[in-house]
Amino acid sequence: MAIKVHGSAFSTAAMRVFACLNEKGLEYEFVPVDMRAGEHKKEPFLSLNPFGQVPAFEDGDLKLFESRAVNQYIAHAYADKGNPLICQDPRKMAIVSLWMEVEAQKYDASAAKLTWELIIKPLLGMSTDDAIVEEQEVQLAKVLDVYEARLAQSKYLGGDNFSLADLHHLPTMNYLMGTRVKETFDARPHVSSWCADILARPAWQKVVAMKNNQ
Amino acid sequence: MAIKVHGSAFSTAAMRVFACLNEKGLEYEFVPVDMRAGEHKKEPFLSLNPFGQVPAFEDGDLKLFESRAVNQYIAHAYADKGNPLICQDPRKMAIVSLWMEVEAQKYDASAAKLTWELIIKPLLGMSTDDAIVEEQEVQLAKVLDVYEARLAQSKYLGGDNFSLADLHHLPTMNYLMGTRVKETFDARPHVSSWCADILARPAWQKVVAMKNNQ
């Protein structure tokens, strides 16, 4: 099979790539990396990603890492397959890029820390730091206030259609919906509808099923 | 004039956009934002960027923010002007995107904190936190080890040619070259040559001159 994703079904970054591949209806081979055994910090994995993080991605002889860059590649290289996730028009694409950057720079800064404290640390038998949770909930709320205003005017973050800008939120959003942070999303009606909409997408539900079957 | 950049000549994010516009040889109007007076946290600026951060960008009726998204728009929309900063081929572009993500997610995480502690805080009359500087120097060194290996095989991060993946490093790199962190760059020969090369570009030197004339 041409496309391989090396990673873990529990990794938010790997889930981001699986979601994109499912939206495009592409076949791929999932190569599990035993993160508890530290396989991602050793060769041969470091040859795929020198930062020692999952996922690593292969499409034939093209080797990539960084989930958001992988998804941009998939969306452009397979533009004619499955659901469109980007725009061809530079001005419309600029708006999608803008909200992709907001996810990466603003939303994820809080959402990733909250996911770590509330989901991953308990899974690893570590204690949640409540002070970090409280601080990051305040930060996330400020970001979601901006999203609420945006989503009052536009069905999706990048425009009228679902795009990578929405998709990139799914892994942390999904984890946080099982925590007290759900209230921070639910308190904003447009954000809450948007979450329900994008979490219900069949391509995402396949990622959830994959995680639950591990 | 069609293109306007609202910001400050001292802001790393605004400098990133000026560098890109200069590489493309585009004319633009610089609209200074008085950040000491908090203009970026009030209307009318918040209508341009709801996160209250510089720069905000206008190209006719297109309004954008997030410097890395702005630069992707400029590079794509003005692909036929000035120096090419992206690739049209999806597989080559994927490599450029990958290193753009590395800058945004790995390099900048340390470089922005070091710039804040060593340059911006002293400018504002605040004290540098040496513990943060030491911690972030260690993190930056790990990132630059990966860059050293990459730049031993490829003249620029994204491939044989200068691209947005290199350009996005310039503002923090330029500031840090005036601090003790210069040694962390200089200790790695390929990184050191790459820094000297990209810092010397005329488009970047214009940005430095603009800052020095403020």
Side-chain angles (χ1 to χ4, degrees), chain A residues 61-94:
Chain A
D61 60 0
L62 179 69
K63 294 177 201 306
L64 297 175
F65 52 92
E66 288 292 333
S67 62
R68 293 170 183 88
V70 169
N71 282 1
Q72 285 189 67
Y73 163 72
I74 295 167
H76 282 282
Y78 297 97
D80 58 339
K81 305 246 184 198
N83 297 320
L85 299 173
I86 49 159
C87 303
Q88 295 300 330
D89 175 73
R91 294 170 83 89
K92 286 189 180 164
M93 187 61 209

PDB file of all heavy atoms in Angstrom, chain A residues 61-94:
ATOM      1  N   ASP A  61       7.721   7.183  -1.903  1.00  0.00           N
ATOM      2  CA  ASP A  61       9.038   7.607  -1.392  1.00  0.00           C
ATOM      3  C   ASP A  61       9.000   8.981  -0.711  1.00  0.00           C
ATOM      4  O   ASP A  61      10.044   9.471  -0.266  1.00  0.00           O
ATOM      5  CB  ASP A  61      10.092   7.578  -2.509  1.00  0.00           C
ATOM      6  CG  ASP A  61       9.731   8.498  -3.656  1.00  0.00           C
ATOM      7  OD1 ASP A  61       8.663   9.150  -3.590  1.00  0.00           O
ATOM      8  OD2 ASP A  61      10.502   8.572  -4.628  1.00  0.00           O
ATOM      9  N   LEU A  62       7.850   9.581  -0.638  1.00  0.00           N
ATOM     10  CA  LEU A  62       7.721  10.866   0.084  1.00  0.00           C
ATOM     11  C   LEU A  62       7.528  10.586   1.567  1.00  0.00           C
ATOM     12  O   LEU A  62       6.587   9.889   1.956  1.00  0.00           O
ATOM     13  CB  LEU A  62       6.529  11.661  -0.460  1.00  0.00           C
ATOM     14  CG  LEU A  62       6.258  13.011   0.214  1.00  0.00           C
ATOM     15  CD1 LEU A  62       7.362  14.026  -0.098  1.00  0.00           C
ATOM     16  CD2 LEU A  62       4.901  13.572  -0.216  1.00  0.00           C
ATOM     17  N   LYS A  63       8.418  11.144   2.393  1.00  0.00           N
ATOM     18  CA  LYS A  63       8.323  10.937   3.839  1.00  0.00           C
ATOM     19  C   LYS A  63       8.073  12.289   4.499  1.00  0.00           C
ATOM     20  O   LYS A  63       8.810  13.249   4.252  1.00  0.00           O
ATOM     21  CB  LYS A  63       9.625  10.331   4.375  1.00  0.00           C
ATOM     22  CG  LYS A  63       9.875   8.917   3.856  1.00  0.00           C
ATOM     23  CD  LYS A  63      11.203   8.369   4.355  1.00  0.00           C
ATOM     24  CE  LYS A  63      11.703   7.226   3.468  1.00  0.00           C
ATOM     25  NZ  LYS A  63      10.751   6.121   3.278  1.00  0.00           N
ATOM     26  N   LEU A  64       7.046  12.356   5.336  1.00  0.00           N
ATOM     27  CA  LEU A  64       6.672  13.620   5.973  1.00  0.00           C
ATOM     28  C   LEU A  64       6.434  13.419   7.456  1.00  0.00           C
ATOM     29  O   LEU A  64       6.180  12.303   7.911  1.00  0.00           O
ATOM     30  CB  LEU A  64       5.383  14.181   5.357  1.00  0.00           C
ATOM     31  CG  LEU A  64       5.378  14.574   3.879  1.00  0.00           C
ATOM     32  CD1 LEU A  64       3.968  14.983   3.451  1.00  0.00           C
ATOM     33  CD2 LEU A  64       6.358  15.717   3.616  1.00  0.00           C
ATOM     34  N   PHE A  65       6.438  14.533   8.200  1.00  0.00           N
ATOM     35  CA  PHE A  65       5.928  14.541   9.570  1.00  0.00           C
ATOM     36  C   PHE A  65       5.271  15.900   9.795  1.00  0.00           C
ATOM     37  O   PHE A  65       5.126  16.669   8.851  1.00  0.00           O
ATOM     38  CB  PHE A  65       7.021  14.217  10.596  1.00  0.00           C
ATOM     39  CG  PHE A  65       8.263  15.031  10.500  1.00  0.00           C
ATOM     40  CD1 PHE A  65       8.426  16.197  11.237  1.00  0.00           C
ATOM     41  CD2 PHE A  65       9.297  14.636   9.664  1.00  0.00           C
ATOM     42  CE1 PHE A  65       9.582  16.954  11.168  1.00  0.00           C
ATOM     43  CE2 PHE A  65      10.460  15.397   9.573  1.00  0.00           C
ATOM     44  CZ  PHE A  65      10.600  16.556  10.326  1.00  0.00           C
ATOM     45  N   GLU A  66       4.850  16.200  11.016  1.00  0.00           N
ATOM     46  CA  GLU A  66       4.039  17.376  11.364  1.00  0.00           C
ATOM     47  C   GLU A  66       2.637  17.201  10.758  1.00  0.00           C
ATOM     48  O   GLU A  66       2.408  17.434   9.567  1.00  0.00           O
ATOM     49  CB  GLU A  66       4.670  18.691  10.886  1.00  0.00           C
ATOM     50  CG  GLU A  66       5.904  19.107  11.660  1.00  0.00           C
ATOM     51  CD  GLU A  66       5.631  19.500  13.109  1.00  0.00           C
ATOM     52  OE1 GLU A  66       4.513  19.944  13.426  1.00  0.00           O
ATOM     53  OE2 GLU A  66       6.535  19.335  13.932  1.00  0.00           O
ATOM     54  N   SER A  67       1.689  16.826  11.611  1.00  0.00           N
ATOM     55  CA  SER A  67       0.354  16.434  11.146  1.00  0.00           C
ATOM     56  C   SER A  67      -0.321  17.485  10.267  1.00  0.00           C
ATOM     57  O   SER A  67      -0.989  17.149   9.290  1.00  0.00           O
ATOM     58  CB  SER A  67      -0.535  16.112  12.351  1.00  0.00           C
ATOM     59  OG  SER A  67      -0.701  17.249  13.188  1.00  0.00           O
ATOM     60  N   ARG A  68      -0.147  18.779  10.589  1.00  0.00           N
ATOM     61  CA  ARG A  68      -0.848  19.808   9.817  1.00  0.00           C
ATOM     62  C   ARG A  68      -0.259  19.943   8.413  1.00  0.00           C
ATOM     63  O   ARG A  68      -0.968  20.236   7.456  1.00  0.00           O
ATOM     64  CB  ARG A  68      -0.816  21.139  10.571  1.00  0.00           C
ATOM     65  CG  ARG A  68      -1.619  21.107  11.874  1.00  0.00           C
ATOM     66  CD  ARG A  68      -1.384  22.353  12.714  1.00  0.00           C
ATOM     67  NE  ARG A  68      -2.088  22.296  13.990  1.00  0.00           N
ATOM     68  CZ  ARG A  68      -1.583  21.744  15.097  1.00  0.00           C
ATOM     69  NH1 ARG A  68      -0.377  21.194  15.101  1.00  0.00           N
ATOM     70  NH2 ARG A  68      -2.301  21.730  16.216  1.00  0.00           N
ATOM     71  N   ALA A  69       1.062  19.736   8.307  1.00  0.00           N
ATOM     72  CA  ALA A  69       1.704  19.759   6.982  1.00  0.00           C
ATOM     73  C   ALA A  69       1.310  18.512   6.186  1.00  0.00           C
ATOM     74  O   ALA A  69       1.063  18.593   4.974  1.00  0.00           O
ATOM     75  CB  ALA A  69       3.220  19.842   7.140  1.00  0.00           C
ATOM     76  N   VAL A  70       1.224  17.374   6.856  1.00  0.00           N
ATOM     77  CA  VAL A  70       0.795  16.136   6.197  1.00  0.00           C
ATOM     78  C   VAL A  70      -0.606  16.336   5.614  1.00  0.00           C
ATOM     79  O   VAL A  70      -0.863  15.989   4.455  1.00  0.00           O
ATOM     80  CB  VAL A  70       0.813  14.954   7.192  1.00  0.00           C
ATOM     81  CG1 VAL A  70       0.126  13.729   6.595  1.00  0.00           C
ATOM     82  CG2 VAL A  70       2.239  14.623   7.629  1.00  0.00           C
ATOM     83  N   ASN A  71      -1.497  16.913   6.402  1.00  0.00           N
ATOM     84  CA  ASN A  71      -2.875  17.096   5.934  1.00  0.00           C
ATOM     85  C   ASN A  71      -2.956  18.077   4.767  1.00  0.00           C
ATOM     86  O   ASN A  71      -3.770  17.895   3.860  1.00  0.00           O
ATOM     87  CB  ASN A  71      -3.769  17.559   7.092  1.00  0.00           C
ATOM     88  CG  ASN A  71      -4.140  16.400   8.002  1.00  0.00           C
ATOM     89  OD1 ASN A  71      -3.715  15.261   7.766  1.00  0.00           O
ATOM     90  ND2 ASN A  71      -4.915  16.674   9.030  1.00  0.00           N
ATOM     91  N   GLN A  72      -2.124  19.103   4.780  1.00  0.00           N
ATOM     92  CA  GLN A  72      -2.110  20.026   3.630  1.00  0.00           C
ATOM     93  C   GLN A  72      -1.650  19.300   2.376  1.00  0.00           C
ATOM     94  O   GLN A  72      -2.192  19.507   1.293  1.00  0.00           O
ATOM     95  CB  GLN A  72      -1.200  21.221   3.914  1.00  0.00           C
ATOM     96  CG  GLN A  72      -1.845  22.210   4.873  1.00  0.00           C
ATOM     97  CD  GLN A  72      -1.033  23.482   4.959  1.00  0.00           C
ATOM     98  OE1 GLN A  72      -0.936  24.241   4.004  1.00  0.00           O
ATOM     99  NE2 GLN A  72      -0.434  23.707   6.109  1.00  0.00           N
ATOM    100  N   TYR A  73      -0.653  18.445   2.544  1.00  0.00           N
ATOM    101  CA  TYR A  73      -0.190  17.653   1.397  1.00  0.00           C
ATOM    102  C   TYR A  73      -1.332  16.763   0.877  1.00  0.00           C
ATOM    103  O   TYR A  73      -1.611  16.731  -0.327  1.00  0.00           O
ATOM    104  CB  TYR A  73       1.024  16.796   1.783  1.00  0.00           C
ATOM    105  CG  TYR A  73       1.259  15.694   0.791  1.00  0.00           C
ATOM    106  CD1 TYR A  73       1.764  15.984  -0.476  1.00  0.00           C
ATOM    107  CD2 TYR A  73       0.914  14.371   1.073  1.00  0.00           C
ATOM    108  CE1 TYR A  73       1.930  14.987  -1.427  1.00  0.00           C
ATOM    109  CE2 TYR A  73       1.075  13.370   0.142  1.00  0.00           C
ATOM    110  CZ  TYR A  73       1.579  13.682  -1.106  1.00  0.00           C
ATOM    111  OH  TYR A  73       1.722  12.700  -2.054  1.00  0.00           O
ATOM    112  N   ILE A  74      -1.982  16.036   1.775  1.00  0.00           N
ATOM    113  CA  ILE A  74      -3.065  15.122   1.363  1.00  0.00           C
ATOM    114  C   ILE A  74      -4.161  15.911   0.634  1.00  0.00           C
ATOM    115  O   ILE A  74      -4.638  15.511  -0.429  1.00  0.00           O
ATOM    116  CB  ILE A  74      -3.661  14.388   2.595  1.00  0.00           C
ATOM    117  CG1 ILE A  74      -2.619  13.472   3.234  1.00  0.00           C
ATOM    118  CG2 ILE A  74      -4.915  13.597   2.202  1.00  0.00           C
ATOM    119  CD1 ILE A  74      -3.012  12.955   4.627  1.00  0.00           C
ATOM    120  N   ALA A  75      -4.550  17.041   1.208  1.00  0.00           N
ATOM    121  CA  ALA A  75      -5.653  17.829   0.627  1.00  0.00           C
ATOM    122  C   ALA A  75      -5.296  18.347  -0.770  1.00  0.00           C
ATOM    123  O   ALA A  75      -6.143  18.371  -1.666  1.00  0.00           O
ATOM    124  CB  ALA A  75      -6.005  18.993   1.557  1.00  0.00           C
ATOM    125  N   HIS A  76      -4.042  18.747  -0.970  1.00  0.00           N
ATOM    126  CA  HIS A  76      -3.619  19.265  -2.281  1.00  0.00           C
ATOM    127  C   HIS A  76      -3.357  18.132  -3.266  1.00  0.00           C
ATOM    128  O   HIS A  76      -3.805  18.181  -4.409  1.00  0.00           O
ATOM    129  CB  HIS A  76      -2.360  20.138  -2.135  1.00  0.00           C
ATOM    130  CG  HIS A  76      -2.650  21.504  -1.608  1.00  0.00           C
ATOM    131  ND1 HIS A  76      -3.169  22.504  -2.398  1.00  0.00           N
ATOM    132  CD2 HIS A  76      -2.512  22.039  -0.374  1.00  0.00           C
ATOM    133  CE1 HIS A  76      -3.337  23.598  -1.670  1.00  0.00           C
ATOM    134  NE2 HIS A  76      -2.943  23.341  -0.431  1.00  0.00           N
ATOM    135  N   ALA A  77      -2.621  17.111  -2.826  1.00  0.00           N
ATOM    136  CA  ALA A  77      -2.211  16.045  -3.754  1.00  0.00           C
ATOM    137  C   ALA A  77      -3.411  15.197  -4.185  1.00  0.00           C
ATOM    138  O   ALA A  77      -3.416  14.637  -5.277  1.00  0.00           O
ATOM    139  CB  ALA A  77      -1.134  15.176  -3.104  1.00  0.00           C
ATOM    140  N   TYR A  78      -4.419  15.084  -3.309  1.00  0.00           N
ATOM    141  CA  TYR A  78      -5.601  14.276  -3.617  1.00  0.00           C
ATOM    142  C   TYR A  78      -6.843  15.166  -3.689  1.00  0.00           C
ATOM    143  O   TYR A  78      -7.918  14.797  -3.213  1.00  0.00           O
ATOM    144  CB  TYR A  78      -5.756  13.152  -2.576  1.00  0.00           C
ATOM    145  CG  TYR A  78      -4.589  12.185  -2.612  1.00  0.00           C
ATOM    146  CD1 TYR A  78      -3.522  12.315  -1.728  1.00  0.00           C
ATOM    147  CD2 TYR A  78      -4.531  11.173  -3.570  1.00  0.00           C
ATOM    148  CE1 TYR A  78      -2.427  11.446  -1.785  1.00  0.00           C
ATOM    149  CE2 TYR A  78      -3.445  10.302  -3.639  1.00  0.00           C
ATOM    150  CZ  TYR A  78      -2.399  10.442  -2.739  1.00  0.00           C
ATOM    151  OH  TYR A  78      -1.332   9.585  -2.806  1.00  0.00           O
ATOM    152  N   ALA A  79      -6.650  16.343  -4.299  1.00  0.00           N
ATOM    153  CA  ALA A  79      -7.753  17.322  -4.384  1.00  0.00           C
ATOM    154  C   ALA A  79      -8.981  16.753  -5.083  1.00  0.00           C
ATOM    155  O   ALA A  79     -10.110  17.144  -4.774  1.00  0.00           O
ATOM    156  CB  ALA A  79      -7.265  18.580  -5.102  1.00  0.00           C
ATOM    157  N   ASP A  80      -8.765  15.812  -6.004  1.00  0.00           N
ATOM    158  CA  ASP A  80      -9.889  15.281  -6.790  1.00  0.00           C
ATOM    159  C   ASP A  80     -10.578  14.092  -6.124  1.00  0.00           C
ATOM    160  O   ASP A  80     -11.532  13.547  -6.662  1.00  0.00           O
ATOM    161  CB  ASP A  80      -9.384  14.878  -8.186  1.00  0.00           C
ATOM    162  CG  ASP A  80      -8.261  13.849  -8.117  1.00  0.00           C
ATOM    163  OD1 ASP A  80      -7.604  13.742  -7.055  1.00  0.00           O
ATOM    164  OD2 ASP A  80      -8.045  13.143  -9.117  1.00  0.00           O
ATOM    165  N   LYS A  81     -10.135  13.670  -4.953  1.00  0.00           N
ATOM    166  CA  LYS A  81     -10.747  12.524  -4.259  1.00  0.00           C
ATOM    167  C   LYS A  81     -11.579  13.000  -3.068  1.00  0.00           C
ATOM    168  O   LYS A  81     -11.237  14.006  -2.432  1.00  0.00           O
ATOM    169  CB  LYS A  81      -9.661  11.602  -3.686  1.00  0.00           C
ATOM    170  CG  LYS A  81      -8.664  11.126  -4.717  1.00  0.00           C
ATOM    171  CD  LYS A  81      -8.776   9.636  -4.916  1.00  0.00           C
ATOM    172  CE  LYS A  81      -7.688   9.199  -5.872  1.00  0.00           C
ATOM    173  NZ  LYS A  81      -7.906   7.920  -6.470  1.00  0.00           N
ATOM    174  N   GLY A  82     -12.616  12.244  -2.747  1.00  0.00           N
ATOM    175  CA  GLY A  82     -13.378  12.451  -1.513  1.00  0.00           C
ATOM    176  C   GLY A  82     -13.887  13.875  -1.324  1.00  0.00           C
ATOM    177  O   GLY A  82     -14.220  14.566  -2.287  1.00  0.00           O
ATOM    178  N   ASN A  83     -13.934  14.297  -0.069  1.00  0.00           N
ATOM    179  CA  ASN A  83     -14.460  15.629   0.259  1.00  0.00           C
ATOM    180  C   ASN A  83     -13.373  16.691   0.100  1.00  0.00           C
ATOM    181  O   ASN A  83     -12.250  16.494   0.561  1.00  0.00           O
ATOM    182  CB  ASN A  83     -14.965  15.638   1.702  1.00  0.00           C
ATOM    183  CG  ASN A  83     -16.123  14.687   1.892  1.00  0.00           C
ATOM    184  OD1 ASN A  83     -16.993  14.589   1.025  1.00  0.00           O
ATOM    185  ND2 ASN A  83     -16.129  13.949   2.984  1.00  0.00           N
ATOM    186  N   PRO A  84     -13.727  17.837  -0.523  1.00  0.00           N
ATOM    187  CA  PRO A  84     -12.715  18.900  -0.630  1.00  0.00           C
ATOM    188  C   PRO A  84     -12.441  19.475   0.762  1.00  0.00           C
ATOM    189  O   PRO A  84     -13.365  19.683   1.543  1.00  0.00           O
ATOM    190  CB  PRO A  84     -13.385  19.934  -1.540  1.00  0.00           C
ATOM    191  CG  PRO A  84     -14.845  19.668  -1.459  1.00  0.00           C
ATOM    192  CD  PRO A  84     -15.028  18.220  -1.095  1.00  0.00           C
ATOM    193  N   LEU A  85     -11.178  19.717   1.058  1.00  0.00           N
ATOM    194  CA  LEU A  85     -10.811  20.215   2.393  1.00  0.00           C
ATOM    195  C   LEU A  85     -10.058  21.533   2.307  1.00  0.00           C
ATOM    196  O   LEU A  85      -9.657  22.097   3.333  1.00  0.00           O
ATOM    197  CB  LEU A  85      -9.938  19.168   3.109  1.00  0.00           C
ATOM    198  CG  LEU A  85     -10.618  17.813   3.346  1.00  0.00           C
ATOM    199  CD1 LEU A  85      -9.613  16.822   3.897  1.00  0.00           C
ATOM    200  CD2 LEU A  85     -11.802  17.960   4.305  1.00  0.00           C
ATOM    201  N   ILE A  86      -9.822  21.986   1.079  1.00  0.00           N
ATOM    202  CA  ILE A  86      -9.147  23.264   0.840  1.00  0.00           C
ATOM    203  C   ILE A  86      -9.858  23.961  -0.321  1.00  0.00           C
ATOM    204  O   ILE A  86     -10.719  23.360  -0.968  1.00  0.00           O
ATOM    205  CB  ILE A  86      -7.662  23.066   0.460  1.00  0.00           C
ATOM    206  CG1 ILE A  86      -7.565  22.005  -0.640  1.00  0.00           C
ATOM    207  CG2 ILE A  86      -6.820  22.708   1.665  1.00  0.00           C
ATOM    208  CD1 ILE A  86      -6.299  22.076  -1.431  1.00  0.00           C
ATOM    209  N   CYS A  87      -9.471  25.212  -0.589  1.00  0.00           N
ATOM    210  CA  CYS A  87     -10.034  25.976  -1.711  1.00  0.00           C
ATOM    211  C   CYS A  87      -8.923  26.213  -2.728  1.00  0.00           C
ATOM    212  O   CYS A  87      -7.762  26.363  -2.346  1.00  0.00           O
ATOM    213  CB  CYS A  87     -10.534  27.335  -1.239  1.00  0.00           C
ATOM    214  SG  CYS A  87     -11.756  27.234   0.056  1.00  0.00           S
ATOM    215  N   GLN A  88      -9.268  26.276  -3.972  1.00  0.00           N
ATOM    216  CA  GLN A  88      -8.256  26.562  -5.002  1.00  0.00           C
ATOM    217  C   GLN A  88      -8.046  28.072  -5.144  1.00  0.00           C
ATOM    218  O   GLN A  88      -6.951  28.516  -5.444  1.00  0.00           O
ATOM    219  CB  GLN A  88      -8.677  25.964  -6.355  1.00  0.00           C
ATOM    220  CG  GLN A  88      -8.746  24.440  -6.342  1.00  0.00           C
ATOM    221  CD  GLN A  88      -7.429  23.757  -5.993  1.00  0.00           C
ATOM    222  OE1 GLN A  88      -6.360  24.276  -6.272  1.00  0.00           O
ATOM    223  NE2 GLN A  88      -7.500  22.591  -5.343  1.00  0.00           N
ATOM    224  N   ASP A  89      -9.096  28.855  -4.920  1.00  0.00           N
ATOM    225  CA  ASP A  89      -8.992  30.306  -5.059  1.00  0.00           C
ATOM    226  C   ASP A  89      -8.085  30.884  -3.959  1.00  0.00           C
ATOM    227  O   ASP A  89      -8.333  30.649  -2.765  1.00  0.00           O
ATOM    228  CB  ASP A  89     -10.398  30.907  -4.950  1.00  0.00           C
ATOM    229  CG  ASP A  89     -10.362  32.418  -4.964  1.00  0.00           C
ATOM    230  OD1 ASP A  89     -10.123  32.994  -6.028  1.00  0.00           O
ATOM    231  OD2 ASP A  89     -10.556  33.020  -3.883  1.00  0.00           O
ATOM    232  N   PRO A  90      -7.034  31.652  -4.326  1.00  0.00           N
ATOM    233  CA  PRO A  90      -6.083  32.131  -3.300  1.00  0.00           C
ATOM    234  C   PRO A  90      -6.727  32.968  -2.196  1.00  0.00           C
ATOM    235  O   PRO A  90      -6.312  32.882  -1.032  1.00  0.00           O
ATOM    236  CB  PRO A  90      -5.083  32.983  -4.087  1.00  0.00           C
ATOM    237  CG  PRO A  90      -5.218  32.586  -5.510  1.00  0.00           C
ATOM    238  CD  PRO A  90      -6.630  32.078  -5.683  1.00  0.00           C
ATOM    239  N   ARG A  91      -7.729  33.776  -2.530  1.00  0.00           N
ATOM    240  CA  ARG A  91      -8.344  34.622  -1.499  1.00  0.00           C
ATOM    241  C   ARG A  91      -9.201  33.780  -0.551  1.00  0.00           C
ATOM    242  O   ARG A  91      -9.189  34.009   0.672  1.00  0.00           O
ATOM    243  CB  ARG A  91      -9.168  35.741  -2.146  1.00  0.00           C
ATOM    244  CG  ARG A  91      -8.271  36.734  -2.913  1.00  0.00           C
ATOM    245  CD  ARG A  91      -9.067  37.698  -3.760  1.00  0.00           C
ATOM    246  NE  ARG A  91      -9.584  38.839  -3.036  1.00  0.00           N
ATOM    247  CZ  ARG A  91      -8.938  39.996  -2.870  1.00  0.00           C
ATOM    248  NH1 ARG A  91      -7.736  40.166  -3.356  1.00  0.00           N
ATOM    249  NH2 ARG A  91      -9.505  40.989  -2.212  1.00  0.00           N
ATOM    250  N   LYS A  92      -9.915  32.793  -1.080  1.00  0.00           N
ATOM    251  CA  LYS A  92     -10.697  31.917  -0.188  1.00  0.00           C
ATOM    252  C   LYS A  92      -9.756  31.021   0.623  1.00  0.00           C
ATOM    253  O   LYS A  92      -9.982  30.751   1.805  1.00  0.00           O
ATOM    254  CB  LYS A  92     -11.668  31.063  -1.007  1.00  0.00           C
ATOM    255  CG  LYS A  92     -12.850  31.872  -1.526  1.00  0.00           C
ATOM    256  CD  LYS A  92     -13.905  30.984  -2.154  1.00  0.00           C
ATOM    257  CE  LYS A  92     -15.068  31.827  -2.658  1.00  0.00           C
ATOM    258  NZ  LYS A  92     -15.921  31.095  -3.593  1.00  0.00           N
ATOM    259  N   MET A  93      -8.697  30.548  -0.030  1.00  0.00           N
ATOM    260  CA  MET A  93      -7.731  29.692   0.676  1.00  0.00           C
ATOM    261  C   MET A  93      -7.044  30.467   1.791  1.00  0.00           C
ATOM    262  O   MET A  93      -6.728  29.899   2.841  1.00  0.00           O
ATOM    263  CB  MET A  93      -6.698  29.134  -0.317  1.00  0.00           C
ATOM    264  CG  MET A  93      -5.757  28.108   0.296  1.00  0.00           C
ATOM    265  SD  MET A  93      -6.590  26.622   0.953  1.00  0.00           S
ATOM    266  CE  MET A  93      -5.457  26.134   2.268  1.00  0.00           C
ATOM    267  N   ALA A  94      -6.846  31.780   1.572  1.00  0.00           N
ATOM    268  CA  ALA A  94      -6.210  32.610   2.605  1.00  0.00           C
ATOM    269  C   ALA A  94      -7.027  32.590   3.897  1.00  0.00           C
ATOM    270  O   ALA A  94      -6.464  32.547   4.998  1.00  0.00           O
ATOM    271  CB  ALA A  94      -6.049  34.038   2.094  1.00  0.00           C
TER     272      ALA A  94
END
